Amino acid sequence: MILHVDMDAFYAAVEQRDHPELRGKPVIVGADPKGGRGRGVVATASYEARRFGVGSAMPISQAWRACPHGVYVRPDMEKYVAVSRQVMAVLRHFTDAVEPVSIDEAFLDVTGSRRLLGTPGGAASGEEIARALKTAIHDQTRLMASVGVATSKMVAKVASDMRKPDGLVLVPPGTEASFLAPLPVRRLWGVGPKMEEALIKIGVHTIGELAACDPARLERRLGTHGQDLVQLARGQDDREVAREGEDAKSIGQEHTFDSDTADLERLRAMLLELSDGVARRLRQHGTRARTVTLKYRDEDFQTCTRAETLRDATDSGDLLFEAAWRLFRGVHGRRKVRLVGIYASHLGGPSQMPLFTAPPSPADRARDLVEERFGEGALTRASLLGDGRRPDGRSLPGGGERETAADRKGSRRLRR
């Protein structure tokens, strides 16, 4: 269960709290307007100022023309940061899974805290936790927050913006798509003005219309981001809440096939290649991992993740692959596969490894040395050469040569 907490008109609300004479007045925090000739932008506008069309990031000269009678206040960032720390401290009383997004908003995963926050008779509901959270924030800071409650980060973020100020919107499990469908497409997280314009040009005005789009068609129009948007529009978002203070939470790599496939040999080869890639990056970072996570997406864009914790931390591609293949066989059914990914987590450096942890294997050391000298992909497993085709189905140069780093760089990322 994910909560998105968003402080209402944060900077302006802090000023109105600290200066009672400003309450009920249009307060604009930002640059000096200089009688409409000022440069700079609005940082935050109170809800009273928003009635005149003033909003964040608006040029201060334009805000002055819209609301010349407003109270213009220069930002006091030291004060706002101090209040933000108070708010985040309140959030951490509810769960340790807190991911600050900015100075005035954060995600919380309260799945593991529901029983602790509930009564002897049962676990607390999402709505109960959200109301308690809002009350605690107000008691500690005398400020209001809006909260969205959902099964994913994206839907929770959309929900928190629906009934501001002092809002609370709950999206029950299974209703994500219907909740999103009637909303304008600009409400979707990741859709800015330019993306909205591009979508409107192809006849997509609502999130529901976006969800009904053919992902392949949208990818041709918008690139790979088009597929992600369709998935989000359908309420599918498997991103986890990243606890504050974590560095690289996991090292991972994933691949989207050019065409959906049910070829087990091709899938196995890709998982082996991804395992080697993740292991190589673990060794480059001087770290090892205890948990292997498989990401799996089928032809219907249904995505799931499965994880296995190893007895000992490793940086071996063989061991990562063995775990990933077990996980794959546990989730793979009759549908074709669109995407597979492997992530290694619960990372630890040398100081966190057992004293007698085995060093990298001779094969791994040889591969690292060759690739350090001749470039990534210079040495590979014979089983990945096969009939001279890549695991993604495309021909390799020269029939059996390895794909280059440039061919594959797009499928790699270090999650933070």
Side-chain angles (χ1 to χ4, degrees):
M1 182 180 296
I2 309 297
L3 275 62
H4 180 253
V5 178
D6 194 0
M7 302 301 295
D8 296 324
F10 184 51
Y11 298 172
V14 171
E15 297 298 341
Q16 289 177 318
R17 179 198 68 177
D18 294 347
H19 303 280
E21 70 276 11
L22 299 181
R23 294 173 190 170
K25 295 181 179 180
V27 175
I28 298 100
V29 179
D32 184 351
K34 297 181 179 177
R37 299 184 304 276
R39 303 181 68 178
V41 297
V42 174
T44 306
S46 70
Y47 286 94
E48 295 87 353
R50 295 182 191 191
R51 297 192 189 107
F52 296 92
V54 180
S56 299
M58 174 183 287
I60 200 71
S61 57
Q62 183 180 339
W64 176 267
R65 290 193 295 270
C67 189
H69 57 285
V71 180
Y72 290 79
V73 180
R74 299 299 297 272
D76 184 346
M77 292 309 301
E78 185 176 351
K79 178 168 65 175
Y80 305 149
V81 168
V83 178
S84 175
R85 287 174 179 155
Q86 285 183 286
V87 172
M88 299 303 166
V90 172
L91 304 187
R92 285 190 287 271
H93 281 298
F94 287 78
T95 176
D96 63 346
V98 177
E99 179 185 349
V101 181
S102 66
I103 193 172
D104 61 349
E105 62 176 313
F107 288 106
L108 293 79
D109 187 340
V110 297
T111 306
S113 308
R114 292 181 59 201
R115 191 167 299 280
L116 179 64
L117 298 172
T119 64
S125 68
E127 182 177 357
E128 289 170 336
I129 295 173
R131 291 195 184 281
L133 185 62
K134 284 164 58 67
T135 298
I137 290 173
H138 189 268
D139 288 347
Q140 290 292 320
T141 67
R142 292 184 290 123
L143 298 171
M144 292 189 300
S146 291
V147 180
V149 184
T151 57
S152 70
K153 292 170 71 173
M154 189 275 296
V155 178
K157 182 172 176 66
V158 173
S160 69
D161 195 45
M162 294 295 291
R163 295 178 189 163
K164 281 181 163 289
D166 199 24
L168 196 169
V169 175
L170 172 68
V171 183
T175 68
E176 294 86 358
S178 59
F179 165 75
L180 294 170
L183 301 177
V185 72
R186 65 176 175 274
R187 287 271 193 178
L188 198 64
W189 193 9
V191 175
K194 290 186 178 179
M195 180 61 70
E196 180 185 15
E197 183 180 347
L199 290 169
I200 290 174
K201 283 182 179 178
I202 60 174
V204 176
H205 297 81
T206 68
I207 296 178
E209 291 171 342
L210 178 59
C213 284
D214 174 16
R217 171 177 172 252
L218 211 59
E219 182 177 5
R220 288 194 296 270
R221 290 292 192 101
L222 306 175
T224 55
H225 186 47
Q227 292 187 15
D228 296 332
L229 287 178
V230 171
Q231 187 177 7
L232 292 175
R234 294 172 178 174
Q236 301 166 355
D237 178 16
D238 58 4
R239 290 172 291 186
E240 298 178 356
V241 172
R243 286 169 170 80
E244 185 179 15
E246 290 183 332
D247 293 323
K249 184 170 88 166
S250 66
I251 290 177
Q253 194 168 313
E254 59 186 51
H255 179 82
T256 300
F257 293 98
D258 287 342
S259 58
D260 302 339
T261 182
D263 185 337
L264 280 179
E265 284 304 312
R266 188 174 167 194
L267 290 163
R268 184 182 183 279
M270 179 53 69
L271 287 172
L272 183 55
E273 182 176 7
L274 293 175
S275 297
D276 281 340
V278 171
R280 180 170 54 252
R281 292 173 64 205
L282 286 170
R283 295 191 295 271
Q284 289 172 347
H285 284 275
T287 188
R288 296 183 179 187
R290 285 203 62 208
T291 299
V292 180
T293 299
L294 171 77
K295 182 176 179 181
Y296 176 99
R297 181 177 299 157
D298 66 23
E299 59 186 327
D300 294 330
F301 281 80
Q302 297 298 310
T303 304
C304 68
T305 57
R306 296 291 185 272
E308 177 179 320
T309 298
L310 308 176
R311 185 182 65 179
D312 298 311
T314 186
D315 57 10
S316 163
D318 289 334
L319 295 180
L320 294 180
F321 170 73
E322 288 174 9
W325 186 243
R326 286 192 295 269
L327 295 168
F328 176 85
R329 291 191 299 177
V331 300
H332 183 52
R334 295 183 178 180
R335 291 187 174 90
K336 293 181 179 180
V337 179
R338 178 65 176 165
L339 173 150
V340 289
I342 295 175
Y343 293 90
S345 57
H346 289 164
L347 309 181
S351 64
Q352 296 167 287
M353 294 295 108
L355 180 61
F356 298 106
T357 298
S361 70
D364 287 334
R365 290 201 303 271
R367 184 182 296 118
D368 293 343
L369 288 171
V370 170
E371 294 193 343
E372 181 179 342
R373 181 172 181 181
F374 297 105
E376 188 174 332
L379 183 67
T380 191
R381 298 173 185 266
S383 62
L384 290 180
L385 296 178
D387 60 356
R389 300 186 69 80
R390 295 161 35 136
D392 60 13
R394 288 180 284 171
S395 297
L396 284 164
E401 294 175 13
R402 170 81 159 167
E403 62 179 321
T404 66
D407 290 329
R408 298 173 48 211
K409 66 180 181 180
S411 65
R412 294 189 178 81
R413 60 192 176 115
L414 172 62
R415 278 175 36 172
R416 292 189 178 273

